[in-house]
Amino acid sequence: MEDSRIITYLREGILADALYEDGRLTELSLMPTASQSLLGNIYIGRVKNIVKNIQAAFVEITPGLLCYLSLEEVKYPIYTKPKRQTQLVEGDELLVQVSREAVKTKAPSVTTNINLPGKYLILTTGNRMVGYSSKLKAAEKARLKELVDTWDLKEAGWIVRTNARHAEITELAGEYQKLLAQYEYLTTQAVHRTIFSCVQKSRPLYLTSILGSQSEYLKGIVTDDQKLYQEIAEFLTEEMPKERRKLRLYQDTMLPLKALYRLEKGLQEALCERVWLRSGAYLVIEPTEALTVIDVNTGKYTGGKEKQKTIQKINKEAACEIARQLRLRNLSGIILVDFVDLAEEEAKQELLQLMKDLLKQDPQKATAVDLTELGLMELTRKKQKKTLLEQAKECGI
């Protein structure tokens, strides 16, 4: 698998960040340059009120902007002032990080579990343990564990990312010290800032995407804008020096970068309700307020004399495309998939396992839960950013 990340202006005032895997558009984000996402920003917020019957608090991070905070996630809050109570109460001032953008009618979500991501590691305040990416092999995990066990982990927890598998000891140790310095700044200096201060701004989403890319697959980062090129070059030099050579400034004035990669067409297809498969079958994707429904239809497919084998082939092709569409459209929450009916239990379980394996490749946490008695497959995917459709509407597309 070869990945290319394309960062360009789709239209005036609209920045597009696209990921192509083996030549196919797999992820696409649209960002209006007139406004910036709050996702990942760290604020000194004030608890406005607590609603015990839903186990939540509402925290004001800027004047008039209330954010949802789940009380179940409040484990090691960092308060800006000493307090006697052990529980969160109205009026408390504390550090919070925006963990989910505002989605439709829902307010942004914040968390007291501060995450500071690096290329190889993530420092986390909500869990004092060390976790390892599930994509690391046993031997890789053993090597990394031997190193991590020598660190003084202080009061924070750590997540060792997939990219750490090929990292040298000096690189890991350097990033560990860098993230620890950020954490110490937040807990010793930033906490003394005034209420509603944004004590740390997150990187632009396209830089966060680059940081999260798996180095072994990322073959190129391409942009056709000189300012973006300089910004990305500085970021790579500082954070990912080994990847600096992969950055390229596209300068062909005869064929724009967005035309070369057919970005406009890719966006148009990603916003369509119907998705055609190579076999002639198709998907119908319908987002609703509560969940997303995906229907698999045999369409024009006529191949195969044995009905069940034909259905199995369609369902497998559909499963692969659904996994891509979840990432491309940034669908999240509850997703129900109505595959073509299978008669044999063994075939059903094989399809479920295929879907589980495909979702493991998703950078966002996604799970194939089960097949219901009605034959619907239940999927879940973590909510964080707006869907592509919402991003497009925000950009006036």
Side-chain angles (χ1 to χ4, degrees):
M1 182 172 68
E2 291 193 3
D3 296 358
S4 296
R5 189 164 288 281
I6 312 303
I7 300 167
T8 185
Y9 285 94
L10 185 71
R11 301 173 190 174
E12 186 178 351
I14 303 173
L15 189 63
D17 172 23
L19 177 68
Y20 288 80
E21 291 184 349
D22 293 332
R24 296 194 75 197
L25 182 60
T26 305
E27 293 179 8
L28 179 59
S29 294
L30 304 177
M31 292 152 273
T33 54
S35 61
Q36 290 187 337
S37 172
L38 301 179
L39 190 63
N41 287 358
I42 301 173
Y43 294 89
I44 296 179
R46 177 187 291 144
V47 178
K48 191 75 172 179
N49 52 50
I50 294 175
V51 187
K52 290 187 178 179
N53 61 340
I54 61 169
Q55 280 295 290
F58 288 90
V59 179
E60 194 174 15
I61 60 171
T62 60
L65 179 57
L66 292 178
C67 300
Y68 175 89
L69 171 66
S70 170
L71 294 179
E72 294 177 357
E73 295 181 3
V74 180
K75 293 182 179 179
Y76 302 102
I78 301 171
Y79 294 102
T80 62
K81 298 176 181 178
K83 56 174 282 177
R84 294 181 180 179
Q85 306 96 333
T86 56
Q87 291 185 331
L88 201 67
V89 297
E90 292 180 10
D92 277 342
E93 296 178 11
L94 70 170
L95 287 183
V96 291
Q97 186 171 36
V98 180
S99 56
R100 191 190 70 197
E101 293 181 313
V103 179
K104 296 177 183 175
T105 58
K106 295 181 179 179
S109 291
V110 293
T111 179
T112 58
N113 176 18
I114 308 299
N115 283 333
L116 303 177
K119 180 185 177 185
Y120 308 118
L121 306 166
I122 299 174
L123 183 151
T124 174
T125 65
N127 189 337
R128 305 295 167 84
M129 308 291 288
V130 178
Y132 294 83
S133 166
S134 59
K135 296 176 184 178
L136 291 169
K137 296 178 182 177
E140 294 166 340
K141 182 177 175 180
R143 177 185 78 88
L144 293 165
K145 190 175 187 303
E146 189 175 337
L147 168 66
V148 173
D149 284 348
T150 65
W151 293 347
D152 179 6
L153 297 178
K154 306 282 184 180
E155 297 177 357
W158 298 84
I159 299 170
V160 182
R161 307 184 76 170
T162 309
N163 273 331
R165 58 161 57 119
H166 300 305
E168 297 175 6
I169 292 176
T170 52
E171 292 176 309
L172 290 168
E175 187 167 279
Y176 163 74
Q177 292 294 341
K178 186 174 183 178
L179 294 176
L180 198 58
Q182 287 184 40
Y183 170 71
E184 289 175 347
Y185 164 76
L186 289 171
T187 54
T188 60
Q189 297 182 53
V191 291
H192 300 303
R193 302 265 295 274
T194 57
I195 188 68
F196 305 143
S197 294
C198 179
V199 297
Q200 183 169 302
K201 275 199 169 187
S202 63
R203 305 175 180 92
L205 292 176
Y206 51 89
L207 295 184
T208 302
S209 298
I210 293 172
L211 189 67
S213 300
Q214 290 193 44
S215 298
E216 61 198 286
Y217 299 124
L218 186 63
K219 302 303 179 185
I221 305 165
V222 188
T223 184
D224 55 357
D225 184 86
Q226 184 67 47
K227 287 185 178 180
L228 285 173
Y229 176 82
Q230 291 296 335
E231 182 186 5
I232 297 167
E234 290 173 9
F235 167 76
L236 291 173
T237 302
E238 177 69 22
E239 301 286 346
M240 306 167 68
K242 284 185 176 180
E243 313 303 318
R244 173 64 181 81
R245 59 184 175 79
K246 297 178 181 179
L247 177 63
R248 181 165 65 91
L249 179 63
Y250 182 84
Q251 295 179 299
D252 187 345
T253 56
M254 300 297 291
L255 181 64
L257 183 62
K258 64 180 181 181
L260 177 65
Y261 282 88
R262 300 169 70 242
L263 261 180
E264 293 271 11
K265 184 172 177 56
L267 172 61
Q268 185 181 2
E269 291 175 348
L271 296 178
C272 281
E273 183 182 86
R274 183 170 295 194
V275 180
W276 286 98
L277 306 179
R278 290 182 180 178
S279 64
Y282 64 90
L283 311 175
V284 176
I285 302 175
E286 297 185 35
T288 70
E289 189 71 27
L291 47 80
T292 298
V293 178
I294 302 177
D295 189 30
V296 181
N297 293 272
T298 54
K300 300 175 184 177
Y301 186 82
T302 56
K305 293 181 180 179
E306 297 184 37
K307 184 178 178 181
Q308 283 302 307
K309 285 188 178 180
T310 299
I311 291 173
Q312 280 182 271
K313 185 173 181 179
I314 290 172
N315 282 338
K316 286 180 180 179
E317 184 186 15
C320 293
E321 184 59 28
I322 287 167
R324 186 178 81 95
Q325 290 292 328
L326 295 184
R327 293 175 63 183
L328 178 58
R329 299 174 185 237
N330 196 33
L331 301 173
S332 57
I334 300 170
I335 299 134
L336 293 181
V337 184
D338 188 7
F339 285 100
V340 185
D341 289 342
L342 289 165
E344 298 175 3
E345 184 62 31
E346 185 180 345
K348 292 179 182 178
Q349 292 306 314
E350 186 180 327
L351 180 62
L352 179 61
Q353 187 58 51
L354 172 63
M355 198 76 238
K356 287 181 177 180
D357 293 340
L358 290 167
L359 294 182
K360 285 178 183 177
Q361 299 168 29
D362 194 325
Q364 199 67 271
K365 185 178 180 182
T367 308
V369 181
D370 204 353
L371 276 165
T372 70
E373 291 183 6
L374 296 175
L376 300 174
M377 188 179 290
E378 298 174 307
L379 313 178
T380 63
R381 192 168 184 266
K382 185 179 178 182
K383 289 185 180 181
Q384 195 172 50
K385 296 189 297 182
K386 294 180 175 74
T387 66
L388 182 61
L389 180 59
E390 289 171 311
Q391 291 172 30
K393 288 179 179 177
E394 196 174 80
C395 292
I397 297 176

